[in-house]
Amino acid sequence: MKDNAKISSAVIKRLPRYRRYLSDLQKKNVDRISSNELSNLIGYTASQIRQDLNNFGGFGQQGYGYNIQSLYNEISSILGLDKDYKMVIVGTGNLGQAIANYTHYYKSGFMVSAMFDVNPKLIGLRINDIEVLDYERLEEFMQDNSVDIGIVCTNKDSAQEVVDKLCAGGVRGIWNFAPTDLQLPEGVALENVHLSDSLHSLAYYINRNSQMKDQD
């Protein structure tokens, strides 16, 4: 296996897609699949699939392909999905509540242990039996509880302060939905989900497709 630090982020971002398709195949009681067959399902080339998986070791066998259950388990382990993660959400407006509901029903080892907000109308609200706490209690909660992931659903002006408190409290990763770039200490992982960036990219492709049709 190669040093994971040297594996490109593009490869890592493709792994959850592989895992999702493998999960669907398991539900259909499919035992094995070739890279060519997987290519037809996912849309990546067979060569790309083999290159991606070879970063982590030889999972396939010549003439046999990939054992779906084994490959699913290997990718789950590579992604760290064989562990459980405790999370807190800061900012429990519509987006924060939607994420809390998603993680609750998805039930994939990511557990929301607390939620925080500054809005008096939201403080005390229970979402999936988790009470929304006053943001002023965040630092105290972080001192008393082990938290792996901080989920930031605040406005951009508050996000950096929130992240500073989460990092000081020992989180190992930040899932950021605030529309701003953040500064994190070394050793804390960051995944940005900029909804407006994604929507703007979609607008580009819509207009590009329209222009191509006009040229036909």
Side-chain angles (χ1 to χ4, degrees):
M1 181 184 296
K2 294 182 182 178
D3 181 355
N4 284 3
K6 296 180 181 179
I7 297 171
S8 76
S9 60
V11 173
I12 300 302
K13 288 183 180 296
R14 285 193 287 270
L15 293 182
R17 185 175 173 90
Y18 292 137
R19 183 177 179 273
R20 178 158 44 86
Y21 275 88
L22 292 168
S23 177
D24 290 341
L25 289 167
Q26 287 182 82
K27 292 173 184 176
K28 296 176 182 177
N29 296 316
V30 180
D31 293 326
R32 62 190 177 101
I33 192 169
S34 69
S35 55
N36 286 324
E37 291 169 330
L38 198 53
S39 170
N40 291 333
L41 285 175
I42 297 180
Y44 306 144
T45 66
S47 175
Q48 180 72 76
I49 292 170
R50 289 192 295 268
Q51 287 177 24
D52 286 350
L53 298 179
N54 283 341
N55 280 294
F56 306 97
F59 301 133
Q61 298 177 27
Q62 187 72 30
Y64 177 87
Y66 299 103
N67 179 286
I68 289 171
Q69 178 68 58
S70 176
L71 184 57
Y72 176 87
N73 291 341
E74 290 285 357
I75 291 176
S76 296
S77 178
I78 291 165
L79 290 170
L81 299 180
D82 53 349
K83 305 178 180 70
D84 292 330
Y85 298 89
K86 294 181 179 179
M87 310 188 298
V88 298
I89 297 175
V90 183
T92 53
N94 292 332
L95 179 58
Q97 292 182 40
I99 292 169
N101 287 323
Y102 173 76
T103 55
H104 176 75
Y105 292 108
Y106 188 46
K107 291 184 175 28
S108 62
F110 296 89
M111 183 186 72
V112 175
S113 53
M115 305 177 69
F116 299 88
D117 208 288
V118 296
N119 187 343
K121 294 181 179 179
L122 294 175
I123 295 169
L125 182 71
R126 300 192 76 86
I127 301 170
N128 299 320
D129 208 32
I130 299 173
E131 182 181 0
V132 177
L133 304 176
D134 191 325
Y135 173 65
E136 294 297 323
R137 296 177 60 185
L138 175 62
E139 290 175 288
E140 175 189 356
F141 183 90
M142 297 295 293
Q143 290 173 3
D144 296 339
N145 296 273
S146 175
V147 178
D148 300 298
I149 298 172
I151 304 174
V152 181
C153 299
T154 66
N155 60 38
K156 65 179 182 179
D157 295 329
S158 305
Q160 187 62 58
E161 176 196 304
V162 168
V163 165
D164 290 343
K165 290 184 178 182
L166 290 168
C167 292
V171 299
R172 297 185 291 148
I174 297 290
W175 199 17
N176 175 44
F177 288 84
T180 187
D181 294 324
L182 300 169
Q183 299 296 318
L184 272 69
E186 187 175 351
V188 179
L190 172 65
E191 183 69 21
N192 287 308
V193 183
H194 287 197
L195 298 178
S196 61
D197 288 3
S198 180
L199 192 58
H200 295 167
S201 296
L202 177 62
Y204 166 80
Y205 289 113
I206 289 172
N207 284 280
R208 188 192 67 173
N209 290 343
S210 297
Q211 291 168 3
M212 291 174 67
K213 286 181 180 178
D214 291 343
Q215 292 171 4
D216 290 343

